[in-house]
């Protein structure tokens, strides 16, 4: 079986692809290569097409191409016979793609040209003992085998309930002066792939009517600015100042989700709204989420450490019954390996201590 490990080889620029493929390959190369007959290799268009790469694909769509753009938008309606044949010809020797964060459009193309794929995203529920991956395949049989390794959804509720109690009894108690019956808007970075649509990055400024209507329903609307965002959102902040009941708040996200005063959580497309559901909050995406985590239309299954194991891939790829026990490597293994912490540092005692010590050390050495 010829298996290609890839990122979003059409929408995402090559430096970003290669950055993700480096760790993606190091994690998956060995366990996926469960049989000598499996040929596992990384796949970037220019490695196969040489001088043609992504530029030829976009020229077939009559879309201007700039290789410096991190994400280059195209829609399913832009596709034509020539562009589909182009991708089909390149992948003619591919039996399966295992992709990291494939866009909806790239998945659509793979379906159209009958290429089997397994798509792996970082899962949006990120307050458990480790981060997880959300995994989906366009093969029903593979999907069912992936599902059998899913993390039990009840753990999402249990951990959220623990955080509610931790808010008032835990190691770092939340100094709560929130107004009861409030709403929370969760902001994002300015270049988040989840908010990329029609050639631009969306923000609250693209949903002014929706935002204005919500400010009329709640006495206070808190705007949680993304902690990594330090500049570039001046127009957004200026817009928010028009509303007397809107307040920009810097409190940690999980403290806000755990607070009973917050009743409603909304966003353009932040993963925090997925998490808000398990805290018992009414929640809404103003723009479509990358994938669903609950409800009947759920497709991407939460998988934690299983993807590091040969048994998982032997089961998923070859339908071999395997032992699902002992597929847990310990707390924060993925989180530490990839340095993916986000708001977790604020709710974990050890990570919080590390952050405090690091801050003190930096001040001493200035």
């Amino acid at each position: 079986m010829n298996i290609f490990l890839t990122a979003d080889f059409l929408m995402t620029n090559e430096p970003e692809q290669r950055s993700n493929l480096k760790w993606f390959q190091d994690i998956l190369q060995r366990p996926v290569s469960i049989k000598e007959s499996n040929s596992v290799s990384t796949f970037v268009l220019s490695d196969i097409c040489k001088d043609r790469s992504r530029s030829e694909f976009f020229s077939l769509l009559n879309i201007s191409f700039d290789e410096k753009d991190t994400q280059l938008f195209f829609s399913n309606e832009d596709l034509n016979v020539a562009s589909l044949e182009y991708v089909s010809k390149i992948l003619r020797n591919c039996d399966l793609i295992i992709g990291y964060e494939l866009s909806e459009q790239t998945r659509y193309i793979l379906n159209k040209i009958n290429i089997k794929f397994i798509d792996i995203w970082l899962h949006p529920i990120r307050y458990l003992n480790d981060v997880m991956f959300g995994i989906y395949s366009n093969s029903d049989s593979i999907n069912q085998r992936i599902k059998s390794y899913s993390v039990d959804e009840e753990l999402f509720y249990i951990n959220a309930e623990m955080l509610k109690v931790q808010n008032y009894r835990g190691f770092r108690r939340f100094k709560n002066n929130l107004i009861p019956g409030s709403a929370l808007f969760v902001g994002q970075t300015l270049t988040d792939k989840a908010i990329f649509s029609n050639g631009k990055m969306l923000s609250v400024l693209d949903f002014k009517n929706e935002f204005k209507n919500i400010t009329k329903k709640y006495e206070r609307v808190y705007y949680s600015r993304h902690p990594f965002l330090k500049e570039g959102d001046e127009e957004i902040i200026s817009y928010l100042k028009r509303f007397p009941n809107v307040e920009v708040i810097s409190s940690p996200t999980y403290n806000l989700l755990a607070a009973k005063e917050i009743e409603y959580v909304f966003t353009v497309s932040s993963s925090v709204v997925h998490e808000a559901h398990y805290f018992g909050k009414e929640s809404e995406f103003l723009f479509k989420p990358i994938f669903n985590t609950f409800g009947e239309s759920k497709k991407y299954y939460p998988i934690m450490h299983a993807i590091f194991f040969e048994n998982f891939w032997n089961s998923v790829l070859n339908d071999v019954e395997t032992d699902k026990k002992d597929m847990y490597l310990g707390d924060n293994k993925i989180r530490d390996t990839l340095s993916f912490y986000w708001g977790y540092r604020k709710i974990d005692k050890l990570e919080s201590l590390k952050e405090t010590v690091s801050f003190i050390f930096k001040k001493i050495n200035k």
Side-chain angles (χ1 to χ4, degrees):
M1 181 186 293
N2 287 328
I3 300 173
F4 287 175
L5 302 179
T6 186
D8 197 327
F9 57 92
L10 295 174
M11 186 172 282
T12 303
N13 72 13
E14 289 197 8
E16 183 74 7
Q17 287 183 55
R18 295 186 189 280
S19 174
N20 286 320
L21 278 175
K22 182 174 177 56
W23 68 261
F24 199 61
Q25 180 183 24
D26 285 342
I27 283 175
L28 296 183
Q29 180 82 42
R30 183 199 59 80
V32 172
S33 303
I34 49 181
K35 288 188 174 182
E36 291 183 6
S37 57
N38 278 354
S39 171
V40 181
S41 56
T42 56
F43 168 68
V44 176
L45 268 179
S46 64
D47 292 343
I48 296 176
C49 305
K50 303 305 180 187
D51 58 327
R52 291 156 51 185
S53 74
R54 296 165 62 232
S55 62
E56 183 164 343
F57 172 77
F58 282 95
S59 70
L60 293 170
L61 303 181
N62 293 315
I63 295 175
S64 59
F65 176 79
D66 188 340
E67 63 183 7
K68 295 189 296 295
D69 289 339
T70 304
Q71 309 292 341
L72 195 53
F73 182 84
F74 65 93
S75 69
N76 296 343
E77 290 72 29
D78 292 325
L79 299 171
N80 50 40
V81 173
S83 60
L84 293 174
E85 288 181 345
Y86 171 76
V87 180
S88 183
K89 183 177 180 181
I90 291 169
L91 297 177
R92 62 185 179 275
N93 295 322
C94 176
D95 297 310
L96 173 71
I97 277 181
I98 300 177
Y100 179 68
E101 299 196 344
L102 301 178
S103 64
E104 177 186 352
Q105 294 89 328
T106 299
R107 298 194 306 266
Y108 177 83
I109 290 174
L110 295 177
N111 277 322
K112 290 286 286 185
I113 63 176
N114 297 314
I115 295 292
K116 193 181 296 185
F117 67 79
I118 297 173
D119 188 22
I120 302 177
W121 285 70
L122 288 173
H123 198 277
I125 307 301
R126 296 169 183 172
Y127 55 83
L128 303 190
N129 290 1
D130 206 349
V131 293
M132 301 177 290
F133 298 101
I135 307 182
Y136 163 74
S137 174
N138 59 345
S139 162
D140 290 339
S141 58
I142 288 179
N143 240 11
Q144 287 306 306
R145 295 195 286 272
I146 292 171
K147 181 180 179 180
S148 69
Y149 289 84
S150 291
V151 174
D152 189 341
E153 188 180 36
E154 189 176 8
L155 287 173
F156 304 172
Y157 290 104
I158 292 171
N159 278 269
E161 289 156 2
M162 294 288 185
L163 289 175
K164 289 179 186 179
V165 176
Q166 183 173 305
N167 234 16
Y168 59 87
R169 287 197 61 124
F171 77 97
R172 180 186 278 179
R173 299 175 189 182
F174 183 41
K175 296 179 180 179
N176 188 343
N177 58 356
L178 302 173
I179 295 175
S182 296
L184 172 67
F185 182 91
V186 182
Q188 292 167 260
T189 62
L190 302 178
T191 56
D192 191 329
K193 188 176 182 179
I195 55 175
F196 188 52
S197 178
N198 292 318
K200 65 173 291 188
M201 295 290 174
L202 303 176
S203 75
V204 67
L205 299 178
D206 296 287
F207 300 92
K208 289 182 177 179
N209 288 338
E210 292 88 341
F211 188 84
K212 183 179 180 181
N213 289 336
I214 291 169
T215 63
K216 294 177 181 178
K217 296 179 182 178
Y218 295 90
E219 183 176 350
R220 184 62 54 92
V221 175
Y222 296 102
Y223 188 99
S224 180
R225 192 185 188 203
H226 194 283
F228 294 164
L229 192 57
K230 306 301 181 187
E231 59 183 3
D233 62 341
E234 291 81 10
E235 187 178 355
I236 293 173
I237 301 299
S238 176
Y239 170 70
L240 299 177
K241 288 180 179 178
R242 300 179 191 177
F243 301 93
N245 66 331
V246 173
E247 177 183 338
V248 178
I249 191 168
S250 59
S251 300
T253 303
Y254 292 126
N255 290 133
L256 295 172
L257 291 185
K260 66 180 186 301
E261 288 80 6
I262 300 295
E263 292 184 353
Y264 173 74
V265 182
F266 66 120
T267 184
V268 175
S269 192
S270 170
S271 63
V272 172
V273 168
H274 288 290
E275 297 175 310
H277 169 80
Y278 297 100
F279 284 82
K281 310 298 183 184
E282 182 184 353
S283 55
E284 181 183 6
F285 289 97
L286 300 181
F287 183 62
K288 60 184 179 182
I290 294 296
F291 57 82
N292 292 327
T293 58
F294 55 88
E296 293 301 319
S297 59
K298 180 172 67 176
K299 288 185 176 180
Y300 282 73
Y301 297 105
I303 307 294
M304 198 170 280
H305 298 154
I307 72 166
F308 300 123
F309 290 82
E310 286 185 358
N311 276 359
F312 171 80
W313 291 103
N314 201 15
S315 171
V316 166
L317 300 181
N318 300 309
D319 196 17
V320 175
E321 275 296 324
T322 61
D323 187 357
K324 297 181 176 63
K325 296 179 181 178
D326 300 322
M327 286 195 174
Y328 187 71
L329 299 175
D331 295 355
N332 295 323
K333 180 59 67 174
I334 304 171
R335 189 174 273 123
D336 288 340
T337 298
L338 298 176
S339 193
F340 286 159
Y341 295 96
W342 300 289
Y344 186 79
R345 291 193 190 277
K346 306 299 182 183
I347 60 173
D348 181 86
K349 191 172 184 178
L350 180 58
E351 290 302 328
S352 179
L353 177 62
K354 288 179 182 176
E355 186 178 46
T356 302
V357 171
S358 176
F359 176 76
I360 295 172
F361 184 78
K362 286 178 181 177
K363 288 197 72 173
I364 292 174
N365 286 276
K366 273 189 176 180

